[in-house]
């Protein structure tokens, strides 16, 4: 595993800590949350930083703040594309078995070739974002894909909080113009070019209706469908267009993880970036130093380290007890904070949004004693490792009292597929869990994160990952997934938790 690069100053140290969590989150998707996530993230991080520094050297300036003028990707999307490039390298080196099978299939498909092929045939969102000034592109990415509140983005980029919303609207317009220009520059077929002007007109007006012939064309043409998503920056489709067009495989899953991290309330607001950077400079002669052991020691002294929000939404399992992953000697992926050479140990926690966040819940002294003495005495831990996996193959008995509540959220839908999230709140403490449900319209699972799945006919069983098995009484667990559909896509029914009935809502 390559050594992580040394930050050149406090500003770059702060930037490194902000980017690492994003890189590790995507690397975890690519490797299925195994021990290969961190090596992949480390290699990709080093590759991306070398590329960024080489680009800065060519222009004679750094990319910090709003003064940069060299058109290139901002740091986070640049590093995420470095993850994709590193997976290609792993496949070429014969170690592709460390990646999830779905990614390996994608890497050897025509879809992956678009990202490295002729520039005019690359995804429109990638070309449009790269053509923008880097500070504008960073504002767009942090707001739309990383789902950060505009006030936090303003602090990070040094913008006026009062004017950041208006500036974001202007930046969205700039992105649209870049994408429109790039779409016209793309070698289009005669049919696509005949629809280009109509597509531009329809996407400019939020209230405009799409003509039937254009709608049929968008259902068949990948490039024009991408253009429609990029040009229509109203209606909520821009984040998906950016994530899918820049990251490629797993873009929607990555987007969902970042959104859930912010909605959980555990993501760092970046308000203390300046103070952290100053602390990292202590006794280092201008070269920041930090140690992984120092970070974890300080965080543990303040409060209980939160479970990884990118992997365990809603902070489940954060009840002051040791998690299953920690007891087995494996640290959850999102808490593996890198040891950047040159930063002082004993400084504050690093990691943008979710990598090593202090939980705002009840302190350990009360959660560990009160909840442990009260809840566990009344409600014994359910779902130990000896439970049978076949329990969830049986349709639940409606006469049994429900022990949980399941919520099904359809995140997005397209002509032959969709993305959804299943969230379950358990009345009992869990040592491990399996969540079952039944599809009513023949939907087929294709990918899942924060768990693994097994599908037999219409019945799906989602099982816990190593890092999120433990759930406190009254706590929540969640899985996200992609699936396909043909004749219908109604919400699933017959939800169970470890073989017992759940009430549910959609």
């Amino acid at each position: 595993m390559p050594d992580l690069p040394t930050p050149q100053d406090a500003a770059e140290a702060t930037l490194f800590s902000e980017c690492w969590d994003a890189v590790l989150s995507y690397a975890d998707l690519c490797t299925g949350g195994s021990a290969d996530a961190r090596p992949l993230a480390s290699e990709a991080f080093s590759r991306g930083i070398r590329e960024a520094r080489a680009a800065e050297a060519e222009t004679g300036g750094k990319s910090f703040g709003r003064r940069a003028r060299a058109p290139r990707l901002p740091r986070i999307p640049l590093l995420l594309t470095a993850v994709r490039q590193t997976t290609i390298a792993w496949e070429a080196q014969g170690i592709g078995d460390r990646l999830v099978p779905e990614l390996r299939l994608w890497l050897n498909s025509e879809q992956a070739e678009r990202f490295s092929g002729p520039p005019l045939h690359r995804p429109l969102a990638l070309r449009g974002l790269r053509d923008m000034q880097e500070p504008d592109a960073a504002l767009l990415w942090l707001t739309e894909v990383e789902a950060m509140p505009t006030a936090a983005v303003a602090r990070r980029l040094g913008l006026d909080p009062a004017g950041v919303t208006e500036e974001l609207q202007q930046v969205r317009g700039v992105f649209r113009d870049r994408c429109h220009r790039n779409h016209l520059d793309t070698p289009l077929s005669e049919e696509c070019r005949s629809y280009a002007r109509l597509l531009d007109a329809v996407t400019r007006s939020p209230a405009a209706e799409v003509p039937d012939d254009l709608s049929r064309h968008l259902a068949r043409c990948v490039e024009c469908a991408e253009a429609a998503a990029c040009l229509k920056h109203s209606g909520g489709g821009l984040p998906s267009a950016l994530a899918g067009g820049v990251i490629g495989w797993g873009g929607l899953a990555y987007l969902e993880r970042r959104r859930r991290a912010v909605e959980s309330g555990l993501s760092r607001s970046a308000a203390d970036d300046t103070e952290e950077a100053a602390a990292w400079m202590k006794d280092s002669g201008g070269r920041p130093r930090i140690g992984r052991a120092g970070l974890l020691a300080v965080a543990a002294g303040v409060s209980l380290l939160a479970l990884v929000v990118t992997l365990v939404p809603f902070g489940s399992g954060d009840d002051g007890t040791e998690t299953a992953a920690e007891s087995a000697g494996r640290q959850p992926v999102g808490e593996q904070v890198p040891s950047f050479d040159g930063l002082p140990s004993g400084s504050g926690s690093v990691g943008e949004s979710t990598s090593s966040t202090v939980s705002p819940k009840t302190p350990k002294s009360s959660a560990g004693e009160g909840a442990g003495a009260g809840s566990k005495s009344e409600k014994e831990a359910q779902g130990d490792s000896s439970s049978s996996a076949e329990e969830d193959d049986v349709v639940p008995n409606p006469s049994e009292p429900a022990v949980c509540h399941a919520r099904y959220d359809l995140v997005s839908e397209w002509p032959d597929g969709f993305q959804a999230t299943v969230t379950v709140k358990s009345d009992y403490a869990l040592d491990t869990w399996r969540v079952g449900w039944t599809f009513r319209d023949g939907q087929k699972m294709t990918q899942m994160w924060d768990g693994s799945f097994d599908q037999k006919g219409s019945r799906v069983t989602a099982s816990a990952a190593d890092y999120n098995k433990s759930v406190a009484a009254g706590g929540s667990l969640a899985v996200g997934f992609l699936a396909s559909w043909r004749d219908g896509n109604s919400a699933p029914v017959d939800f169970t938790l470890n073989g017992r009935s759940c009430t549910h809502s959609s």
Side-chain angles (χ1 to χ4, degrees), residues 52-333:
R53 286 176 174 171
E56 290 165 6
E58 291 179 2
T59 59
K62 296 182 179 179
S63 59
F64 309 130
R66 298 285 294 173
R67 296 181 179 275
R69 289 295 180 264
R72 57 176 177 268
L73 288 177
R75 280 292 174 93
I76 290 181
L78 184 148
L79 291 168
L80 293 175
T81 60
V83 176
R84 183 181 67 242
Q85 294 163 359
T86 304
T87 62
I88 295 173
W90 279 23
E91 186 73 13
Q93 294 165 10
I95 55 175
D97 58 333
R98 301 168 71 178
L99 307 172
V100 294
E102 296 87 354
L103 172 57
R104 298 187 69 187
L105 288 173
W106 184 86
L107 290 174
N108 293 282
S109 69
E110 293 182 358
Q111 291 177 304
E113 291 178 0
R114 293 186 61 208
F115 287 83
S116 57
L120 291 180
H121 288 279
R122 293 177 186 175
L124 200 60
L126 177 62
R127 293 157 59 190
L129 195 70
R130 192 185 297 275
D131 283 352
M132 298 172 66
Q133 296 293 336
E134 186 179 354
D136 292 339
L139 172 61
L140 188 67
W141 184 270
L142 292 175
T143 306
E144 300 291 354
V145 180
E146 302 301 317
M148 290 179 57
T150 53
V153 175
R155 286 192 296 269
R156 181 166 297 181
L157 299 180
L159 302 175
D160 178 11
V164 68
T165 301
E166 181 179 351
E167 184 161 359
L168 177 60
Q169 274 303 113
Q170 295 175 356
V171 166
R172 286 171 176 154
V174 171
F175 176 74
R176 186 194 188 283
D177 290 342
R178 297 292 187 274
C179 289
H180 178 54
R181 184 189 65 190
N182 282 316
H183 183 55
L184 295 179
D185 290 343
T186 303
L188 299 172
S189 67
E190 184 176 346
E191 181 182 15
C192 292
R193 193 161 294 280
S194 68
Y195 282 113
R197 186 169 297 178
L198 176 60
L199 181 62
D200 176 42
V202 167
T203 54
R204 283 188 183 276
S205 174
E209 295 185 0
V210 181
D212 291 341
D213 58 338
L214 176 58
S215 178
R216 288 191 294 269
H217 177 72
L218 295 178
R220 298 191 306 268
C221 179
V222 173
E223 290 185 342
C224 289
E226 286 181 353
C230 293
L231 297 178
K232 189 178 178 63
H233 54 72
S234 60
L238 183 55
S240 299
L242 278 167
V246 174
I247 299 174
W249 183 89
L252 291 178
Y254 175 85
L255 183 69
E256 174 68 4
R257 281 191 170 187
R258 309 310 276 174
R259 181 184 66 83
R260 284 181 2 212
V262 172
E263 289 182 351
S264 70
L266 291 177
S267 61
R268 189 160 63 93
S269 66
D272 55 348
D273 287 345
T274 303
E275 290 80 359
E276 284 188 355
W280 294 335
M281 297 295 290
K282 181 180 179 182
D283 298 327
S284 60
R287 292 182 62 78
R289 297 190 57 82
I290 196 166
R292 176 180 176 186
L295 286 174
L296 297 181
V298 172
V302 176
S303 179
L304 179 67
L305 282 175
L307 287 178
V308 191
V309 176
T310 53
L311 304 178
V312 188
F314 315 116
S316 60
D318 195 13
D319 60 344
T321 60
E322 186 182 30
T323 65
E326 290 166 337
S327 63
R330 176 182 179 270
Q331 192 179 20
V333 172

